[in-house]
Amino acid sequence: MVHVSSLLLKNYHGGYVVIRLALAGHKQANRPFYRIVAAYNKRARDGKYIEQLGTYDPLPNIYNEKLVSFNFDRIKYWIGCGAHPTKPISKLLGLAGFFPLHPMTITEAERQRAQTEPIATGPEDDLQDGQKEVEV
């Protein structure tokens, strides 16, 4: 049995398929709402897409939650077909536990560690210098 998506991938010669965010809800001002879609990388952000794989609401609701829904079976299928998830989608999938390790967790932990180390060593040096001055 031949899948339609494999025929689409073979007939398209201008790039590759990506899993990305597409803006939905064009009629509402200051209210972003995104679809998670499989689309060709050459298409516009809000342009035609192959399949909708989920939704993302970036504005927190009354419980301070940002709502995300995924169709994990179809995301697995498209990644198996060779689709590339974009960085924001990789971050959402990592936070959802789809990827084994979220790519930004390591860099954020290193940044936080680097910020706390100079603060911890800075005041101790100042105290030692002050004590030396008192002793002399």
Side-chain angles (χ1 to χ4, degrees), residues 12-88:
Y12 184 68
H13 298 290
Y16 51 91
V17 175
V18 293
I19 299 173
R20 66 175 176 200
L21 294 172
L23 187 63
H26 303 284
K27 306 283 184 189
Q28 299 173 350
N30 299 324
R31 182 72 177 112
F33 185 81
Y34 296 95
R35 291 184 180 114
I36 298 168
V37 298
Y40 297 118
N41 68 330
K42 301 287 184 175
R43 297 259 187 196
R45 178 194 66 187
D46 304 335
K48 189 176 177 183
Y49 53 87
I50 301 169
E51 180 181 2
Q52 181 175 342
L53 305 174
T55 59
Y56 172 55
D57 187 5
L59 294 180
N61 60 8
I62 58 172
Y63 303 108
N64 204 18
E65 299 169 337
K66 296 179 180 181
L67 301 178
V68 180
S69 67
F70 293 112
N71 186 347
F72 286 119
D73 294 333
R74 296 305 293 169
I75 290 174
K76 286 179 189 177
Y77 170 78
W78 280 108
I79 289 176
C81 286
H84 304 281
T86 59
K87 288 181 182 179

